Amino acid sequence: MRLGIVGAGQAACTLIAELIRGDFKGDILVFNGETHAPYQRPPLSKNWLKTSDDPTSLRLLPEPLETHPSIQWIQTSVQSLSPDQGLVTTDQGTYSVDHLVLATGTTAIKPSIPGLASESIHVIRTLDHALRLKKSLEGVTNITIIGAGFLAFELASSLADPSRTIRILAKGIRALPQVAVKTADRLVDQAPASIRVGVEIERFDETTKALVTNHGSIPTDLVIAAIGAQPNAELATACGLGSSDGIPVDEFMQTAHPKVSAIGEVSLHHQPHLNRIQRIESISEANDSASVCAKRLLGHPEPFQTIPWFWSDQGDAKLQIAGLCDRTDEETCLIESETELVMIRHQGQRVTAIEALNSAKEFMAARRLLDQGDLALDDLLQAGSVFARLQSSRS
Ligand SMILES: Cc1cc2nc3c(=O)[nH]c(=O)nc-3n(C[C@H](O)[C@H](O)[C@H](O)COP(=O)(O)OP(=O)(O)OC[C@H]3O[C@@H](n4cnc5c(N)ncnc54)[C@H](O)[C@@H]3O)c2cc1C
């Protein structure tokens, strides 16, 4: 079999690794639309941004896999697909494949700000974005980050410096709406940035070098937008297999076309834990969906059924979340100390997620318990900690 993979990010690399480990009998053509060898994205907004200039430390695939003889790397963007004929067209030529896996990820959204050219607004989605941001920092004293999610707070921590003032501007009514209010409050308190919510940006004033907003003028030398990303689904959409919401797939990562699969954060599928169809942007989604696809291509299909998890480093604070919840889910505090915080997110008695701040032990226990099945709020409260609940489930 000749397999074509479009994209060489997290999901593509996990797929490659699992296929090679599973002794895949065939050739793998990987179309990499970026100029760099596959790299990890999470460090781009974390410690790497602060401390390193060396892209090789971000390498995603170990050497024996990257240079494996069954892989052919094609360093260019795919321009179009013809699934029926199994054709992939690039500016370097047209390639014939038996099956295609779309692992095209997402593109960062840039806001339009009158008075500020789009190129002047930074985003962080690729290694080139991060390298460009690093170069632009010299002499900058006022940094404005638009958006108040995990990425914004990670960037604030990584860019913190006594010579700089960092401001986070949120359109919504609160920062970090993905997590419990108590978790968000902790992270907001620790952030090396001032945070304003309910902000509407009118324009950039070149004369005063300030963003004009409903909260007054905000001095700004450099703007970073961290307001989300949109799925790279154009190739699939052109073949009737996707839309601006992503690429729909079944629980085996198969699109509506038998010769096309989709994995990673571009894929749109039923999330058993949430019991609804949702696209998820996280490493766990990229790895788990790739793993499901690999098993199917290796001839022993297993449906997607894993529990999502997520982490975010904000300076010295490490937030880890097991499970996934709706923003409206109830929140109950399980552990609170000066350094640690463990919040339970739940719908009545059903625990949907555990947020663990600086508590890797609680997070690991939560993952194990959620993997075992439904978890009840009262059981956790009675046990006093997730770890204690895990221990009691074993005895
Ligand atoms: C700065 C940053 C920090 C993050 N931090 C975390 C974190 O702490 N925890 C966490 O769980 N997740 C984090 N994420 C999210 C995580 O990195 C992504 O969810 C994950 O990389 C998604 O993997 P993917 O393979 O679906 O997409 P990607 O890794 O984005 O890979 C997609 C690739 O496809 C390529 N491509 C697109 N179109 C084409 C085409 N036509 N031809 C060829 N190639 C194409 C793209 O250029 C890209 O290289 C972070 C992301 C970023 C950007």
Side-chain angles (χ1 to χ4, degrees):
M1 184 204 251
R2 203 168 195 227
L3 180 71
I5 304 178
V6 186
Q10 184 72 36
C13 288
T14 301
L15 176 64
I16 292 166
E18 298 224 357
L19 288 175
I20 289 175
R21 282 190 205 113
D23 200 19
F24 178 69
K25 303 275 181 264
D27 297 324
I28 306 173
L29 271 60
V30 191
F31 299 90
N32 179 3
E34 295 191 49
T35 51
H36 303 279
Y39 60 89
Q40 304 165 55
R41 275 168 222 279
L44 297 179
S45 53
K46 303 182 178 69
N47 214 24
W48 186 87
L49 186 63
K50 196 181 189 125
T51 57
S52 176
D53 274 323
D54 176 18
T56 57
S57 64
L58 300 173
R59 224 183 175 92
L60 193 49
L61 275 179
E63 174 90 8
L65 289 183
E66 205 173 297
T67 54
H68 194 275
S70 66
I71 306 177
Q72 185 184 344
W73 295 95
I74 299 156
Q75 208 76 30
T76 190
S77 278
V78 170
Q79 290 163 351
S80 66
L81 310 171
S82 309
D84 288 342
Q85 292 77 31
L87 297 178
V88 180
T89 302
T90 74
D91 59 3
Q92 292 179 16
T94 296
Y95 299 79
S96 173
V97 295
D98 300 307
H99 192 87
L100 255 177
V101 180
L102 303 176
T104 46
T106 58
T107 299
I109 298 170
K110 273 194 184 186
S112 142
I113 303 176
L116 198 59
S118 175
E119 312 81 75
S120 307
I121 302 173
H122 287 263
V123 290
I124 296 283
R125 178 72 223 165
T126 65
L127 177 53
D128 284 340
H129 291 150
L131 292 170
R132 180 172 166 256
L133 176 62
K134 271 175 183 275
K135 271 196 194 142
S136 310
L137 289 171
E138 211 178 299
V140 162
T141 54
N142 288 296
I143 297 179
T144 300
I145 303 174
I146 304 173
F150 294 123
L151 184 58
F153 278 75
E154 287 184 355
L155 288 168
S157 294
S158 305
L159 297 173
D161 184 283
S163 66
R164 297 181 193 135
T165 301
I166 302 178
R167 297 173 179 90
I168 292 179
L169 308 184
K171 202 173 181 180
I173 52 168
R174 58 168 282 211
L176 294 165
Q178 306 91 331
V179 290
V181 173
K182 219 176 170 73
T183 311
D185 285 349
R186 273 276 177 115
L187 295 171
V188 166
D189 283 350
Q190 294 172 6
S194 66
I195 293 119
R196 289 186 205 183
V197 296
V199 178
E200 295 289 343
I201 298 170
E202 284 168 27
R203 64 189 165 86
F204 180 73
D205 188 306
E206 185 60 43
T207 322
T208 56
K209 296 264 182 278
L211 283 170
V212 180
T213 75
N214 58 340
H215 284 241
S217 264
I218 297 181
T220 300
D221 304 318
L222 187 135
V223 175
I224 310 174
I227 56 170
Q230 61 198 25
N232 294 326
E234 297 83 357
L235 290 173
T237 305
C239 311
L241 297 175
S243 74
S244 55
D245 293 334
I247 307 177
V249 288
D250 65 13
E251 70 268 45
F252 300 100
M253 304 301 124
Q254 171 82 62
T255 69
H257 196 288
K259 285 188 181 173
V260 185
S261 303
I263 56 173
E265 60 185 27
V266 75
S267 68
L268 183 62
H269 60 92
H270 183 255
Q271 298 284 345
H273 181 64
L274 283 170
N275 197 21
R276 64 162 181 262
I277 290 174
Q278 186 167 316
R279 217 172 48 72
I280 294 181
E281 295 173 13
S282 82
I283 294 293
S284 87
E285 167 67 23
N287 289 342
D288 295 340
S289 60
S291 199
V292 166
C293 187
K295 286 190 182 107
R296 200 188 84 233
L297 293 169
L298 288 166
H300 35 89
E302 278 176 31
F304 186 99
Q305 54 195 4
T306 44
I307 305 284
W309 60 274
F310 186 80
W311 86 96
S312 173
D313 293 351
Q314 321 229 336
D316 294 335
K318 190 167 193 77
L319 173 67
Q320 292 166 297
I321 305 173
L324 193 66
C325 65
D326 285 326
R327 291 185 179 187
T328 51
D329 281 6
E330 298 156 76
E331 51 181 87
T332 299
C333 183
L334 184 66
I335 298 175
E336 186 174 18
S337 73
E338 205 177 310
T339 49
E340 264 182 281
L341 180 69
V342 178
M343 296 296 299
I344 309 170
R345 305 300 302 274
H346 55 102
Q347 293 170 2
Q349 275 298 310
R350 182 177 171 255
V351 174
T352 50
I354 309 275
E355 297 167 6
L357 193 58
N358 299 328
S359 190
K361 190 171 153 185
E362 288 288 288
F363 165 72
M364 290 311 293
R367 279 190 67 189
R368 288 215 184 94
L369 281 171
L370 285 168
D371 273 339
Q372 282 170 21
D374 275 352
L375 190 53
L377 173 69
D378 282 348
D379 288 348
L380 280 182
L381 294 176
Q382 232 165 28
S385 87
V386 191
F387 186 71
R389 174 70 186 82
L390 178 67
Q391 298 284 71
S392 69
S393 78
R394 284 171 172 165
S395 56

